[in-house]
Amino acid sequence: MKNRTLAVPGLAVATAMIATSVTPVAASSSTPVYLAASLTGGNEVPASGTKAGDKDGSALAVFRIHGQRVDYAVRWQNVKAPSGFHIHRGAAGENGEVRIPFFATALPAQLHAVKGTVVVKDRALLGRILNAPQNWYANLHNAEFGGGAVRAQLHRVRPVSMESVLAHGFGHTLTARADGRQEIPAPGTKVGDRDGRAAWLVQPEGRLVWFAAAWKKISAPTAAHIHRAPKGRNGPVVVPFFEAKGGLPASVNGLAGSAVTSAAVARRIWNNPKNWYANLHNAKFPGGAVRGQLYRGDW
């Protein structure tokens, strides 16, 4: 399958990640620097009193450091719902303290990738990471492996978009451009964040519906769904993508995953996408923050 792009206006898209040589760089540099790590359970180092190292698990993580902003994207396989993702100080074979926490809340089980952004005020810390990435590692934790499920040392790479990590593996998809203006008022609930934007890739396949979304200017989503209804009308939830009652971690602004449905529903969505819409809900807009009708084709 070819990779598809996933773009919210103002977010760049790329498709390749290629190793490059390392040259000294300051955290205040005007040029973004990209790091990556290929995580496995075998890289975890046992620690007293905690379980570490999922032998079946793996993940790919990408980081973009620009000034004090650190963008991240991580995609995992055969790892149960992550509950923490960090950069630690430590060379290969050593455990070290968390220095950059990305999230510390369990993610919905339907997800297999997330992206997001944090701000790190300590420019000296970022400078040390950029100039000696091999002395720092990324790892994913979950309920089963509190000491770390998968881990890898960082290394420099050429530019890659965070969105391409979410969209990896998607082939023929439906897409949607979502915003608050497309939400339809409903009695007893608040809808339509006029500042919010989102983009969707949706791929029905057998009894699964694969999905990826990226958003901006909306607060932490609590749920996402496919509803059945044409433009201008509200309709019932047919495919629930995820639920996060307390909201997704604050740093997260994109995700990918899969949901189970019937093969018949998946076919109907694919054959007549204009009669279906995807939306994101949050605590501020429980009736729907942003919505977009599905359609077939690129942007």
Side-chain angles (χ1 to χ4, degrees), residues 110-121:
Q110 298 93 328
L111 303 186
H112 64 242
V114 294
K115 77 176 193 73
T117 301
V118 299
V119 174
V120 178
K121 295 181 179 180

Side-chain angles (χ1 to χ4, degrees), residues 5 15 19-20 50 60 90 101 112 118 149 152 159 171 178 190 203 206 211 230 254 276 278 292:
T5 62
T15 58
T20 186
T50 188
L60 171 69
H112 64 242
V118 299
K190 188 176 181 181
Q203 181 173 299
F211 60 89
W276 307 80

Side-chain angles (χ1 to χ4, degrees), residues 30 34 36 45 50 57 70 78 80 89 101 103 133 138 176 180 212 214-215 231 234 241 245 283:
S30 61
Y34 294 80
V45 178
T50 188
V70 181
N78 297 327
K80 293 181 180 178
R89 181 176 61 189
F103 61 82
W215 60 87
K231 185 177 181 179
N234 286 326
F241 285 150
K245 291 183 178 179

Side-chain angles (χ1 to χ4, degrees), residues 159-170:
V160 58
S161 81
M162 305 299 106
E163 291 77 21
S164 69
V165 176
L166 302 185
H168 177 81
F170 279 73

Side-chain angles (χ1 to χ4, degrees), residues 22-29 31 33 35 64-70 87 89 99-100 120-136 154 156:
V22 176
T23 55
V25 63
S28 58
S29 171
T31 302
V33 177
L35 305 173
R64 177 183 185 269
I65 299 177
H66 190 197
Q68 294 179 304
R69 175 180 171 130
V70 181
I87 288 178
R89 181 176 61 189
R99 296 309 305 270
I100 302 180
V120 178
K121 295 181 179 180
D122 188 344
R123 289 182 179 271
L125 168 64
L126 294 176
R128 291 194 296 273
I129 294 171
L130 292 174
N131 287 310
Q134 71 276 9
N135 291 332
W136 304 80
L154 304 181
R156 288 274 297 277

Side-chain angles (χ1 to χ4, degrees), residues 72-193:
Y72 68 89
V74 57
R75 184 178 75 245
W76 57 90
Q77 186 173 9
N78 297 327
V79 175
K80 293 181 180 178
S83 56
F85 181 49
H86 318 105
I87 288 178
H88 296 245
R89 181 176 61 189
E94 300 176 351
N95 285 327
E97 62 184 320
V98 173
R99 296 309 305 270
I100 302 180
F102 296 110
F103 61 82
T105 302
L107 299 175
Q110 298 93 328
L111 303 186
H112 64 242
V114 294
K115 77 176 193 73
T117 301
V118 299
V119 174
V120 178
K121 295 181 179 180
D122 188 344
R123 289 182 179 271
L125 168 64
L126 294 176
R128 291 194 296 273
I129 294 171
L130 292 174
N131 287 310
Q134 71 276 9
N135 291 332
W136 304 80
Y137 66 92
N139 74 346
L140 277 173
H141 303 251
N142 60 19
E144 184 178 4
F145 295 95
V150 291
R151 158 184 170 158
Q153 303 303 122
L154 304 181
H155 62 275
R156 288 274 297 277
V157 294
R158 291 186 179 176
V160 58
S161 81
M162 305 299 106
E163 291 77 21
S164 69
V165 176
L166 302 185
H168 177 81
F170 279 73
H172 299 292
T173 70
L174 306 174
T175 56
R177 294 184 180 186
D179 57 47
R181 292 185 296 274
Q182 295 182 65
E183 291 285 1
I184 306 303
T189 189
K190 188 176 181 181
V191 305
D193 187 334

